[in-house]
Amino acid sequence: MSDDRRPIPGEWLMTGAAVLWGSAYPASGIVLAELPPFATTAWRGLLALVALVIVLAVRGRLADGLGQRGQWLRLGVLALLAGPAFVVGQNVGVERAGPSVTSFVAGSYPIVAVLLAPLVLPERLTPRVVLALVIALAGTLLLARPGGAHIDAVGVAAGVGASLAFGAYLVLARRWGTSHGIRPMQIAVTNMTALVVVGGVLQLIADAGALPASLTLGGWFWLTWIAVPCGAGAHLLAMTAVRRLPAGRSSPFLLLAPVTGALLSAILVGERLDPLQLGGGALIVAAIALATLPGIRLARSMPA
C-alpha cells in the first residue's frame, strides 16, 4: 500500500518554530518568578539536552550530535554565543525589563546578523540595512524611554546583549558551517551542554542554594515548555523547514517571534505595553523586515 502522506510545508514548520520562540519570553517570565536567571539557564539546558539525546537515540543517530576534533573550538564559540550569552541575556532581560520589551529587543538579532555579515562573509553593507538599524534604535528608545516607561535599563541592555550574541552566532554559523562542515544538530547539542555548565557555574557563584530547582507544578510545566518545545522542538522544526524552503524564504517568519512574545505576554502575565511602546515594537518589527525581507542569506542558520 502506497504512502500518500505529503511532507508538512516548510512555511508551516517555520511558523511553528517562530511562534514557539516568541512564547518563550512570557513563559520565561513565569519561571523567573520562582527561579533565578542562572539556575533557569542551567535547567533549561539540561531538559533540552535530554530531549535532544532521546530524539537522536530513537533515530539511531547519536553520533550526529558529536563534534569532530577539528570543530571543537568553533563549536565552543558558537555554543557560548547562541547558548549562555543569548539565554542569560534573555533571562535577565525578561526578569528586569519584562517579556514584552525583551521579545522585541532580543528578537532584533536578524538586523545584527546583517550588519555583521560583511565583516566575515563576502557580503556588503547596504543603505537599507543602515536605515533598518536606525529604525530599530528608535524603536528601542520608545520601548525603554528612561523616565517615561520606567523600564529597567539593565534589563534592556541585557536584551541588546542577547541580540548581539545571537546575531554574531548566525554569521559565524553560516561561515563555519560551510568551511568546517558544522551541522545544526552538533551546534544544538553543544549549545545545551554549554547552558548547563555555564548556567550552573554562575548560579553556584551567585547563590549555590538556589541551583536545586524548587518549583511549583506550574513552574515545572513552563520550564519544560521553554526547554523542550521552545528549545529542542523549535530547533528541529527550523532545521526541517530550511531544507524545504528556498534560501531566504524563512526570513519573514522571524517577524512572528517578537509579535508572539508581546501578545502572549499580555495574555499569560498581564503585561501590556503603552501606546508609545507599542509604536516602538512596531518600529523594530519594521526594521527587521527592512533588513531581511529583500533576501537575507543567513536564514539557514536557525536558533538551536
Side-chain angles (χ1 to χ4, degrees), residues 181-203:
I182 294 177
R183 299 187 300 273
M185 186 58 78
Q186 292 174 315
I187 298 174
V189 171
T190 313
N191 284 358
M192 302 313 166
T193 303
L195 286 178
V196 176
V197 174
V198 176
V201 169
L202 290 176
Q203 188 59 59

PDB file of all heavy atoms in Angstrom, residues 181-203:
ATOM      1  N   GLY A 181      32.112  22.193   7.933  1.00  0.00           N
ATOM      2  CA  GLY A 181      31.106  21.137   7.960  1.00  0.00           C
ATOM      3  C   GLY A 181      30.378  20.997   9.280  1.00  0.00           C
ATOM      4  O   GLY A 181      29.967  19.891   9.654  1.00  0.00           O
ATOM      5  N   ILE A 182      30.191  22.094  10.005  1.00  0.00           N
ATOM      6  CA  ILE A 182      29.481  22.037  11.286  1.00  0.00           C
ATOM      7  C   ILE A 182      27.981  21.968  11.028  1.00  0.00           C
ATOM      8  O   ILE A 182      27.423  22.813  10.341  1.00  0.00           O
ATOM      9  CB  ILE A 182      29.828  23.259  12.153  1.00  0.00           C
ATOM     10  CG1 ILE A 182      31.316  23.207  12.538  1.00  0.00           C
ATOM     11  CG2 ILE A 182      28.958  23.301  13.406  1.00  0.00           C
ATOM     12  CD1 ILE A 182      31.779  24.403  13.328  1.00  0.00           C
ATOM     13  N   ARG A 183      27.335  20.957  11.601  1.00  0.00           N
ATOM     14  CA  ARG A 183      25.919  20.725  11.358  1.00  0.00           C
ATOM     15  C   ARG A 183      25.058  21.324  12.478  1.00  0.00           C
ATOM     16  O   ARG A 183      25.519  21.425  13.630  1.00  0.00           O
ATOM     17  CB  ARG A 183      25.631  19.233  11.239  1.00  0.00           C
ATOM     18  CG  ARG A 183      26.377  18.565  10.080  1.00  0.00           C
ATOM     19  CD  ARG A 183      25.930  17.137   9.900  1.00  0.00           C
ATOM     20  NE  ARG A 183      26.165  16.328  11.082  1.00  0.00           N
ATOM     21  CZ  ARG A 183      27.288  15.693  11.352  1.00  0.00           C
ATOM     22  NH1 ARG A 183      28.314  15.784  10.514  1.00  0.00           N
ATOM     23  NH2 ARG A 183      27.414  14.965  12.446  1.00  0.00           N
ATOM     24  N   PRO A 184      23.816  21.687  12.159  1.00  0.00           N
ATOM     25  CA  PRO A 184      22.933  22.278  13.176  1.00  0.00           C
ATOM     26  C   PRO A 184      22.761  21.426  14.426  1.00  0.00           C
ATOM     27  O   PRO A 184      22.710  21.960  15.537  1.00  0.00           O
ATOM     28  CB  PRO A 184      21.606  22.447  12.428  1.00  0.00           C
ATOM     29  CG  PRO A 184      21.994  22.596  10.999  1.00  0.00           C
ATOM     30  CD  PRO A 184      23.180  21.706  10.818  1.00  0.00           C
ATOM     31  N   MET A 185      22.651  20.099  14.272  1.00  0.00           N
ATOM     32  CA  MET A 185      22.452  19.259  15.447  1.00  0.00           C
ATOM     33  C   MET A 185      23.681  19.262  16.353  1.00  0.00           C
ATOM     34  O   MET A 185      23.563  19.202  17.583  1.00  0.00           O
ATOM     35  CB  MET A 185      22.103  17.826  15.027  1.00  0.00           C
ATOM     36  CG  MET A 185      21.747  16.929  16.202  1.00  0.00           C
ATOM     37  SD  MET A 185      20.359  17.538  17.198  1.00  0.00           S
ATOM     38  CE  MET A 185      18.981  17.065  16.173  1.00  0.00           C
ATOM     39  N   GLN A 186      24.867  19.342  15.773  1.00  0.00           N
ATOM     40  CA  GLN A 186      26.072  19.460  16.587  1.00  0.00           C
ATOM     41  C   GLN A 186      26.033  20.745  17.409  1.00  0.00           C
ATOM     42  O   GLN A 186      26.387  20.754  18.593  1.00  0.00           O
ATOM     43  CB  GLN A 186      27.314  19.461  15.688  1.00  0.00           C
ATOM     44  CG  GLN A 186      27.595  18.151  14.997  1.00  0.00           C
ATOM     45  CD  GLN A 186      28.760  18.265  14.018  1.00  0.00           C
ATOM     46  OE1 GLN A 186      28.831  19.225  13.256  1.00  0.00           O
ATOM     47  NE2 GLN A 186      29.650  17.298  14.044  1.00  0.00           N
ATOM     48  N   ILE A 187      25.609  21.837  16.769  1.00  0.00           N
ATOM     49  CA  ILE A 187      25.509  23.116  17.472  1.00  0.00           C
ATOM     50  C   ILE A 187      24.469  23.022  18.580  1.00  0.00           C
ATOM     51  O   ILE A 187      24.682  23.506  19.704  1.00  0.00           O
ATOM     52  CB  ILE A 187      25.142  24.250  16.499  1.00  0.00           C
ATOM     53  CG1 ILE A 187      26.236  24.406  15.434  1.00  0.00           C
ATOM     54  CG2 ILE A 187      24.951  25.568  17.243  1.00  0.00           C
ATOM     55  CD1 ILE A 187      25.888  25.398  14.346  1.00  0.00           C
ATOM     56  N   ALA A 188      23.334  22.377  18.292  1.00  0.00           N
ATOM     57  CA  ALA A 188      22.260  22.281  19.279  1.00  0.00           C
ATOM     58  C   ALA A 188      22.724  21.543  20.534  1.00  0.00           C
ATOM     59  O   ALA A 188      22.521  22.017  21.654  1.00  0.00           O
ATOM     60  CB  ALA A 188      21.051  21.573  18.669  1.00  0.00           C
ATOM     61  N   VAL A 189      23.362  20.394  20.349  1.00  0.00           N
ATOM     62  CA  VAL A 189      23.823  19.605  21.497  1.00  0.00           C
ATOM     63  C   VAL A 189      24.883  20.375  22.285  1.00  0.00           C
ATOM     64  O   VAL A 189      24.856  20.413  23.527  1.00  0.00           O
ATOM     65  CB  VAL A 189      24.375  18.242  21.028  1.00  0.00           C
ATOM     66  CG1 VAL A 189      25.057  17.508  22.182  1.00  0.00           C
ATOM     67  CG2 VAL A 189      23.252  17.393  20.454  1.00  0.00           C
ATOM     68  N   THR A 190      25.804  21.026  21.579  1.00  0.00           N
ATOM     69  CA  THR A 190      26.853  21.791  22.259  1.00  0.00           C
ATOM     70  C   THR A 190      26.256  23.000  22.980  1.00  0.00           C
ATOM     71  O   THR A 190      26.671  23.339  24.092  1.00  0.00           O
ATOM     72  CB  THR A 190      27.917  22.260  21.257  1.00  0.00           C
ATOM     73  OG1 THR A 190      28.301  21.178  20.424  1.00  0.00           O
ATOM     74  CG2 THR A 190      29.154  22.768  21.992  1.00  0.00           C
ATOM     75  N   ASN A 191      25.282  23.652  22.360  1.00  0.00           N
ATOM     76  CA  ASN A 191      24.617  24.796  22.989  1.00  0.00           C
ATOM     77  C   ASN A 191      24.006  24.413  24.328  1.00  0.00           C
ATOM     78  O   ASN A 191      24.183  25.104  25.341  1.00  0.00           O
ATOM     79  CB  ASN A 191      23.497  25.328  22.091  1.00  0.00           C
ATOM     80  CG  ASN A 191      24.006  26.134  20.921  1.00  0.00           C
ATOM     81  OD1 ASN A 191      25.207  26.337  20.773  1.00  0.00           O
ATOM     82  ND2 ASN A 191      23.098  26.585  20.074  1.00  0.00           N
ATOM     83  N   MET A 192      23.240  23.336  24.316  1.00  0.00           N
ATOM     84  CA  MET A 192      22.548  22.934  25.536  1.00  0.00           C
ATOM     85  C   MET A 192      23.531  22.493  26.621  1.00  0.00           C
ATOM     86  O   MET A 192      23.319  22.752  27.807  1.00  0.00           O
ATOM     87  CB  MET A 192      21.547  21.816  25.229  1.00  0.00           C
ATOM     88  CG  MET A 192      20.508  22.192  24.185  1.00  0.00           C
ATOM     89  SD  MET A 192      19.744  23.826  24.467  1.00  0.00           S
ATOM     90  CE  MET A 192      18.943  24.086  22.887  1.00  0.00           C
ATOM     91  N   THR A 193      24.610  21.850  26.205  1.00  0.00           N
ATOM     92  CA  THR A 193      25.643  21.474  27.176  1.00  0.00           C
ATOM     93  C   THR A 193      26.258  22.714  27.800  1.00  0.00           C
ATOM     94  O   THR A 193      26.483  22.772  29.020  1.00  0.00           O
ATOM     95  CB  THR A 193      26.730  20.632  26.491  1.00  0.00           C
ATOM     96  OG1 THR A 193      26.139  19.474  25.884  1.00  0.00           O
ATOM     97  CG2 THR A 193      27.785  20.195  27.492  1.00  0.00           C
ATOM     98  N   ALA A 194      26.524  23.734  26.975  1.00  0.00           N
ATOM     99  CA  ALA A 194      27.082  24.986  27.490  1.00  0.00           C
ATOM    100  C   ALA A 194      26.113  25.676  28.446  1.00  0.00           C
ATOM    101  O   ALA A 194      26.533  26.275  29.448  1.00  0.00           O
ATOM    102  CB  ALA A 194      27.433  25.917  26.334  1.00  0.00           C
ATOM    103  N   LEU A 195      24.815  25.601  28.162  1.00  0.00           N
ATOM    104  CA  LEU A 195      23.821  26.192  29.071  1.00  0.00           C
ATOM    105  C   LEU A 195      23.904  25.550  30.453  1.00  0.00           C
ATOM    106  O   LEU A 195      23.867  26.246  31.479  1.00  0.00           O
ATOM    107  CB  LEU A 195      22.416  26.000  28.509  1.00  0.00           C
ATOM    108  CG  LEU A 195      22.000  26.859  27.318  1.00  0.00           C
ATOM    109  CD1 LEU A 195      20.588  26.491  26.880  1.00  0.00           C
ATOM    110  CD2 LEU A 195      22.070  28.338  27.646  1.00  0.00           C
ATOM    111  N   VAL A 196      24.014  24.228  30.473  1.00  0.00           N
ATOM    112  CA  VAL A 196      24.084  23.513  31.746  1.00  0.00           C
ATOM    113  C   VAL A 196      25.338  23.917  32.520  1.00  0.00           C
ATOM    114  O   VAL A 196      25.273  24.276  33.712  1.00  0.00           O
ATOM    115  CB  VAL A 196      24.071  21.989  31.524  1.00  0.00           C
ATOM    116  CG1 VAL A 196      24.236  21.259  32.848  1.00  0.00           C
ATOM    117  CG2 VAL A 196      22.778  21.561  30.840  1.00  0.00           C
ATOM    118  N   VAL A 197      26.479  23.902  31.837  1.00  0.00           N
ATOM    119  CA  VAL A 197      27.756  24.164  32.513  1.00  0.00           C
ATOM    120  C   VAL A 197      27.863  25.619  32.959  1.00  0.00           C
ATOM    121  O   VAL A 197      28.112  25.910  34.139  1.00  0.00           O
ATOM    122  CB  VAL A 197      28.932  23.796  31.592  1.00  0.00           C
ATOM    123  CG1 VAL A 197      30.257  24.193  32.236  1.00  0.00           C
ATOM    124  CG2 VAL A 197      28.920  22.302  31.274  1.00  0.00           C
ATOM    125  N   VAL A 198      27.665  26.550  32.031  1.00  0.00           N
ATOM    126  CA  VAL A 198      27.843  27.963  32.354  1.00  0.00           C
ATOM    127  C   VAL A 198      26.763  28.449  33.321  1.00  0.00           C
ATOM    128  O   VAL A 198      27.051  29.135  34.307  1.00  0.00           O
ATOM    129  CB  VAL A 198      27.839  28.822  31.072  1.00  0.00           C
ATOM    130  CG1 VAL A 198      27.916  30.313  31.415  1.00  0.00           C
ATOM    131  CG2 VAL A 198      29.021  28.430  30.183  1.00  0.00           C
ATOM    132  N   GLY A 199      25.502  28.092  33.039  1.00  0.00           N
ATOM    133  CA  GLY A 199      24.436  28.499  33.948  1.00  0.00           C
ATOM    134  C   GLY A 199      24.630  27.937  35.339  1.00  0.00           C
ATOM    135  O   GLY A 199      24.436  28.642  36.340  1.00  0.00           O
ATOM    136  N   GLY A 200      25.030  26.669  35.423  1.00  0.00           N
ATOM    137  CA  GLY A 200      25.255  26.047  36.723  1.00  0.00           C
ATOM    138  C   GLY A 200      26.395  26.697  37.487  1.00  0.00           C
ATOM    139  O   GLY A 200      26.271  26.973  38.689  1.00  0.00           O
ATOM    140  N   VAL A 201      27.508  26.955  36.816  1.00  0.00           N
ATOM    141  CA  VAL A 201      28.663  27.577  37.479  1.00  0.00           C
ATOM    142  C   VAL A 201      28.315  28.981  37.966  1.00  0.00           C
ATOM    143  O   VAL A 201      28.636  29.368  39.103  1.00  0.00           O
ATOM    144  CB  VAL A 201      29.874  27.618  36.521  1.00  0.00           C
ATOM    145  CG1 VAL A 201      30.985  28.497  37.097  1.00  0.00           C
ATOM    146  CG2 VAL A 201      30.405  26.212  36.268  1.00  0.00           C
ATOM    147  N   LEU A 202      27.651  29.762  37.120  1.00  0.00           N
ATOM    148  CA  LEU A 202      27.280  31.118  37.517  1.00  0.00           C
ATOM    149  C   LEU A 202      26.325  31.118  38.711  1.00  0.00           C
ATOM    150  O   LEU A 202      26.441  31.950  39.614  1.00  0.00           O
ATOM    151  CB  LEU A 202      26.639  31.855  36.335  1.00  0.00           C
ATOM    152  CG  LEU A 202      27.577  32.228  35.185  1.00  0.00           C
ATOM    153  CD1 LEU A 202      26.791  32.866  34.041  1.00  0.00           C
ATOM    154  CD2 LEU A 202      28.677  33.176  35.652  1.00  0.00           C
ATOM    155  N   GLN A 203      25.398  30.171  38.724  1.00  0.00           N
ATOM    156  CA  GLN A 203      24.477  30.105  39.860  1.00  0.00           C
ATOM    157  C   GLN A 203      25.184  29.655  41.126  1.00  0.00           C
ATOM    158  O   GLN A 203      24.876  30.136  42.229  1.00  0.00           O
ATOM    159  CB  GLN A 203      23.316  29.169  39.541  1.00  0.00           C
ATOM    160  CG  GLN A 203      22.209  29.196  40.595  1.00  0.00           C
ATOM    161  CD  GLN A 203      21.626  30.586  40.754  1.00  0.00           C
ATOM    162  OE1 GLN A 203      21.114  31.182  39.808  1.00  0.00           O
ATOM    163  NE2 GLN A 203      21.696  31.127  41.968  1.00  0.00           N
TER     164      GLN A 203
END
